[in-house]
Amino acid sequence: MAKAKVPLVLDLSHHDEVEDWGKVYASGIRGVIHKATQGGSFVDGDYAKRKAAAKAAGLLFGAYHFADASDVTKQVEHFLSVAGTEPDTLLALDYEPNRTNTMSLAQAKQFLQLVYDKTGQRPIIYSGNLLKEQLKKADPFFSSHRLWLAQYGPKARLPNGFSSYWLWQYSGDGVNGSGIIPGIKTKGVDCNVFGGSDLAAEWCHVPAKPAPIPVPERADATVASLKDKSRTVATLVKAKVTSAAVAATSVVAGVTTDTTTTVAPVPNPVDVINLDTLHKTSDGLTAVQTIASTAKSLAIAFAINEWVLVAILGIAAFIIADKMLNWRLEEYIWGRWHPKEEG
């Protein structure tokens, strides 16, 4: 109850009459979340002017959308067109019963995801009994969002999957507190306790995108598994060695002390292949090329030698036949081609 007596954030709409934003700030209030839109067409007429005035008074400012069961994409577009996408504007989904036109849990999930996709900001979700009733068990998607709990009573009861609230609307319409705030004429204003540690720092918290999952080295990686199949093993080896050499040179020059630093921060196919594997593969290909070249040379030499051998054997056969059969081949040849000498 001690916390409930020190509200830090107000949520307002055109139903609340504001007289002096300076007095609101002086009272200890540091943030205001104002209704911007409802469904696919309604716009709170006081949103834009109050946004400028409240921020001028030093207050953090946010916008909430009162949801219904109509087309979610249109609701998101409508909400952002009015609320704006400035990085200092908190975005919130008001997920509560809406007579016979209540947004479903699946639609709420779609709304939150679409807002995040379009702005990079993960909206907070405002809800009370509706979320408690519909979340039968913990849902990692919803629990990844900050909870703006609506719970009028001495104790905050959380929906399944939530371990804490970010804001707790402990009082509204004069329930569980007077809701009287200096600078605001309307009585029974909705008051909220902050459950975090630094309201300004956490106001428009944009969660960091998860780091990409590193590709593990594979001992059995092959060149064919690379997307860039035009690169040969020798090129990959050269690129890997060059990268390591430049990194080592940087260490010697005092540029960096990290010998594992690579020159190009952009992942490239070389990094998924172990250097030893590339060397072995390169050596293997070189050996194959050498064997093929040698075989080719031997084949050519053999072909030439085969003709020489045939010629030698042919000449030998004629000589032997000449001697054995008395063909007098020598006289025939020389007698025909050389005239007899005169005696």
Side-chain angles (χ1 to χ4, degrees):
M1 288 298 293
K3 262 190 173 182
K5 294 178 182 179
V6 188
L8 197 62
V9 177
L10 303 179
D11 58 280
L12 306 172
S13 71
H14 61 282
H15 294 296
D16 303 298
E17 187 176 351
V18 181
E19 293 181 323
D20 191 329
W21 288 108
K23 290 182 179 180
V24 173
Y25 184 88
S27 71
I29 299 299
R30 291 295 177 265
V32 173
I33 306 177
H34 201 285
K35 182 176 183 177
T37 52
Q38 179 172 331
S41 60
F42 177 82
V43 176
D44 190 309
D46 289 334
Y47 174 81
K49 62 183 180 182
R50 287 182 176 178
K51 178 178 183 178
K55 291 175 71 174
L59 291 161
L60 299 167
F61 200 83
Y64 75 83
H65 173 76
F66 190 84
D68 63 22
S70 63
D71 184 86
V72 175
T73 301
K74 291 182 179 180
Q75 288 191 69
V76 169
E77 292 174 351
H78 175 52
F79 173 51
L80 295 180
S81 69
V82 175
T85 56
E86 300 93 338
D88 61 346
T89 300
L90 174 70
L91 303 175
L93 170 64
D94 184 348
Y95 183 58
E96 59 180 294
N98 186 9
R99 298 181 182 178
T100 59
N101 196 27
T102 301
M103 174 180 275
S104 70
L105 193 64
Q107 287 180 311
K109 180 178 290 189
Q110 183 185 2
F111 185 97
L112 294 170
Q113 185 61 52
L114 283 175
V115 171
Y116 174 69
D117 291 342
K118 291 178 178 295
T119 67
Q121 181 185 152
R122 201 177 299 283
I124 62 174
I125 180 169
Y126 169 91
S127 193
N129 290 332
L130 182 61
L131 193 60
K132 294 174 188 176
E133 293 168 359
Q134 294 188 341
L135 277 181
K136 303 301 182 182
K137 60 181 181 179
D139 186 319
F141 176 84
F142 284 103
S143 57
S144 68
H145 293 72
R146 292 172 294 170
L147 175 65
W148 180 7
L149 177 67
Q151 176 74 57
Y152 298 167
K155 184 178 180 180
R157 294 189 301 106
L158 303 173
N160 287 323
F162 291 90
S163 58
S164 63
Y165 59 81
W166 189 68
L167 288 178
W168 173 18
Q169 187 190 82
Y170 68 92
S171 173
D173 299 327
V175 179
N176 196 32
S178 64
I180 299 176
I181 303 296
I184 297 181
K185 186 175 181 179
T186 305
K187 310 301 180 184
V189 176
D190 295 342
C191 298
N192 302 272
V193 172
F194 176 55
S197 56
D198 187 333
L199 183 67
E202 299 173 28
W203 188 252
C204 288
H205 172 65
V206 178
K209 292 184 178 181
I213 301 174
V215 179
E217 288 191 350
R218 290 178 48 199
D220 63 338
T222 62
V223 178
S225 68
L226 297 175
K227 292 182 179 179
D228 184 5
K229 294 182 174 61
S230 65
R231 303 183 69 175
T232 64
V233 172
T235 303
L236 295 175
V237 172
K238 183 178 179 181
K240 194 79 171 181
V241 172
T242 301
S243 177
V246 174
T249 303
S250 298
V251 173
V252 174
V255 177
T256 177
T257 57
D258 185 2
T259 57
T260 63
T261 301
T262 56
V263 176
V266 180
N268 94 51
V270 176
D271 294 328
V272 302
I273 296 185
N274 183 275
L275 182 57
D276 292 335
T277 303
L278 288 174
H279 275 302
K280 291 177 182 178
T281 307
S282 180
D283 292 342
L285 287 179
T286 301
V288 171
Q289 291 173 349
T290 301
I291 292 172
S293 178
T294 302
K296 181 178 179 180
S297 298
L298 290 174
I300 294 173
F302 179 78
I304 294 173
N305 291 336
E306 184 179 15
W307 285 105
V308 172
L309 181 60
V310 170
I312 293 172
L313 291 177
I315 293 171
F318 274 107
I319 293 173
I320 293 172
D322 176 60
K323 298 299 182 183
M324 293 181 65
L325 301 175
N326 197 25
W327 285 355
R328 302 183 65 83
L329 181 63
E330 184 177 351
E331 288 185 10
Y332 172 78
I333 295 175
W334 294 112
R336 182 171 181 176
W337 294 104
H338 297 279
K340 294 182 179 180
E341 299 180 359
E342 295 183 357

